[in-house]
Amino acid sequence: RVTPPLFDNGHSAPNIPFKLVGNHIVLPVRINNSTDLDIVLDTGMPVPEVGIMHNDVADGLKLDFLHDGPEIIVAGAGTDKPKTARIATGATISLPGVTFPNQRVSVADFPNMPNDGVIGQMIFGTCIVEIDYDQQYIHLHDPKHYSPPDEYSRIKLHPVVPGLGPY
């Protein structure tokens, strides 16, 4: 279960900048007060964790790896084959205006990946997400305190594979 996010201003984190790289939203994410990492926002990431794609990046994140945990196999990134991942728990994940405390991080080395990692269910499973492609911002909201403007339309997403996310 994902620990709910903590918003700096109560119930939302507006104007989180992103870079659009190809068709990917790349967010500035910090893990345990690291410098900004380039993390792809992935609607197909079905687990509530951050996946780090490079061992050398993970080495500087002060992660507390499980030593007796189960072996986790992560799907291949891009054209890479699946790999065994190391799992860390208790990490603090931060984006501008919001913190996700006590989170899980998986680390598997995918040297051909141009970004530092991926995030998905941790955000989509706990927040209302608005994406402003023109201004290149995302806005995160606590679902318990969010009322959409009247001009907004609700779009129900239906996963292709039930339980794995809307992709």
Side-chain angles (χ1 to χ4, degrees):
R1 181 150 159 54
V2 176
T3 304
L6 303 172
F7 294 99
D8 290 358
N9 73 356
H11 305 297
S12 67
N15 302 324
I16 299 171
F18 69 83
K19 295 181 280 188
L20 195 57
V21 180
N23 290 329
H24 301 288
I25 291 175
V26 180
L27 296 170
V29 175
R30 293 181 178 207
I31 299 176
N32 294 333
N33 295 314
S34 69
T35 58
D36 286 348
L37 303 172
D38 289 333
I39 305 293
V40 171
L41 181 61
D42 185 355
T43 59
M45 174 93 172
V47 290
E49 65 186 37
V50 174
I52 297 297
M53 302 291 190
H54 305 287
N55 285 332
D56 60 332
V57 170
D59 290 344
L61 299 179
K62 303 177 204 152
L63 295 171
D64 184 16
F65 288 102
L66 299 175
H67 299 288
D68 299 329
E71 189 172 87
I72 305 293
I73 305 297
V74 294
T79 58
D80 287 320
K81 295 180 180 174
K83 298 195 177 186
T84 302
R86 298 181 292 157
I87 302 297
T89 58
T92 299
I93 312 301
S94 303
L95 290 89
V98 63
T99 300
F100 295 83
N102 197 29
Q103 300 298 315
R104 190 169 108 158
V105 175
S106 63
V107 178
D109 202 34
F110 290 98
N112 295 326
M113 293 304 293
N115 54 50
D116 296 318
V118 295
I119 191 170
Q121 185 63 25
M122 182 185 302
I123 290 176
F124 291 115
T126 60
C127 300
I128 300 291
V129 180
E130 289 183 75
I131 302 171
D132 183 337
Y133 283 97
D134 293 333
Q135 298 297 315
Q136 293 194 345
Y137 289 114
I138 67 166
H139 313 286
L140 302 181
H141 305 277
D142 181 338
K144 294 176 186 169
H145 297 94
Y146 180 74
S147 295
D150 291 338
E151 66 271 14
Y152 280 27
S153 298
R154 181 179 296 261
I155 300 171
K156 181 136 177 97
L157 301 176
H158 299 280
V160 174
V161 180
L164 288 183
Y167 63 94

